[in-house]
Amino acid sequence: MASDDTVAAASLLREPESPRDSLDDFGSSFTSEEIPSDSLSAFIWALSFAAGISGLLFGYDTGVISSTLVSIGSDLSHPLSTLDKGLITSSTSLFALIASPLAGVLADRLGRRSVVLVADVLFAVGALWQALTGSVAGMIFGRSVVGLAVGGASLVVPLYISELSPSAFRGMLVTLSILFVTGGQVIAYVFGYLLAQKVHGWRWMVGLGAVPAFVQFALLLMLPETPRWLVKAGKEDLAQNVLKKVYASNNNMVSERVLRSIQKEVMDEEALSKIVNPAIPGNDSLPSLTHFQHRMTELLFVGGNRRALVIACMLQGLQQLCGFQNSIMYFSATIFSLLGFTSPILTSLSVALTNFACTLIALLIIDRVGRRAILLRSIPVMIFGLVLCSISYHLLGFPSQEVNILEDIQAASYSPWATFIVVSLVIFVCGYAIGVGNIAWQQSELFPLSVRSLGSGIATATNWGSNFVVGLTFLPMMDYLTPVWTFALYALICCGGWLCAWRIYPETKGLGLEDMRGLLKDGWGVRESVERPMSPHLRRP
């Protein structure tokens, strides 16, 4: 006779009798998570700001390298070659790629907060190493250490905030961490502008990245783990205490109801795990490698989990393959310098401010308009900006065959079309910041608790893997394909991204984390998510 756990798990895997049954199940689960609040407690604001400092570090360390590359001169024993610049920038992406899946596993075993604390230590060590080094190899090593920190923080901070946030405000609070990223990039350009003409000013630029890491480390020691991780670890009393602080503006019924919903999800996932991995005697008692193998099996062979992984990886890949991080953040000052702008760092600052302002817009609208709706409207803006950039480069006089960017852009400088390139990049950044720049980091909400860290880790690795490839190929593509075809290729990638998002990305606004399995268990859930009625608490004035 089948055990109760087996029966429960089988019910989770069953196919619906009809599409309508699936929609009804989904609609009923939507209201199960919580009685929504109309305001956030001071505790959740303080927690989000403290966790967001990692975003500030992330943004600062990715933004400061643009100013550093044009200020470093011969301080590392010789002027930087194109290869040196590519290795310095790409080393961060490579080690972020290595760190992100590892951080996903550690976040399950040690907790979300512990991984952020380790990342703070790595941020500080990497920043100070860069500031003190005297060689290109030392700079690459420092950037690699920062990459480990960035890989861990970029995965865990959105996950940490997502698991602590009420569903009505989850998109806004996760976007707040991305606002910190863009704010860090603005600060990096400001310091770059102020320190660029100072002797060894670039050392101060990179070294200052250690300060926020020390501040966050101290703050996080006073903050709790997420209630989802605590329940999974068997610490339900601690989880309830955290939930009471999160929902301080409501009565205890809300926190108790959320706790029961989390407990139910954990029980359901344990039962499902016994179906997918029949030999499992228990989950967290397994050796680390065996535990990882079982979780990977559950991620890849349970349909809803696999679909969540495809969506998350698609969004993270698009975020980098569109060229933003490399063409704008890493090399913008270099490109603007070659285009003849007298203050290329200041010009780059205007683009970074646009990124910050449009991310702020996204923060205000994401939980009202919805992730899918914003994404489908913002990608065409990105495409328009990239096409305009490609045309502007063409009108600057670039031929369609191979050129040397380091010589031929300079020859075409002082043209009015150079200004159009800046305008086109600003348009591109507007679409990017409002849409895929922050929506990709909502990835944690797609996964059930048992595979949330692992799935988010793989998706984040996709981000950094794509970043590494584009960072290593951007300047060579500008040389050999010409800027015209480089930006045209990025526009084509964005077109493919829009089609994928339209086909498989469902609307998730307002859904509780414990309700996501119902959305993806039988298909992509696009029709169901678009047709479901809006919950009353999302109609906030």
Side-chain angles (χ1 to χ4, degrees), residues 104-131:
V105 175
L106 292 177
D108 261 347
R109 305 296 290 182
L110 305 177
R112 284 59 162 137
R113 188 185 66 156
S114 298
V115 175
V116 180
L117 290 172
V118 172
D120 284 331
V121 174
L122 292 173
F123 271 124
V125 171
L128 294 175
W129 190 283
Q130 291 175 81

Side-chain angles (χ1 to χ4, degrees), residues 486-519:
T486 297
F487 285 95
L489 177 61
Y490 291 149
L492 186 62
I493 291 171
C494 288
C495 290
W498 186 93
L499 289 172
C500 290
W502 174 78
R503 177 66 182 85
I504 69 173
Y505 184 46
E507 184 56 73
T508 61
K509 70 173 181 181
L511 273 175
L513 291 178
E514 285 67 54
D515 297 322
M516 286 303 302
R517 184 194 290 115
L519 178 60

Side-chain angles (χ1 to χ4, degrees), residues 267-303:
M267 292 174 62
D268 287 346
E269 289 176 353
E270 289 176 353
L272 178 60
S273 186
K274 291 179 180 179
I275 290 292
V276 179
N277 300 289
I280 292 184
N283 286 323
D284 294 325
S285 61
L286 290 169
S288 296
L289 181 59
T290 305
H291 180 84
F292 171 78
Q293 290 171 336
H294 286 306
R295 286 291 177 240
M296 183 63 76
T297 299
E298 192 174 337
L299 178 63
L300 297 178
F301 292 97
V302 174

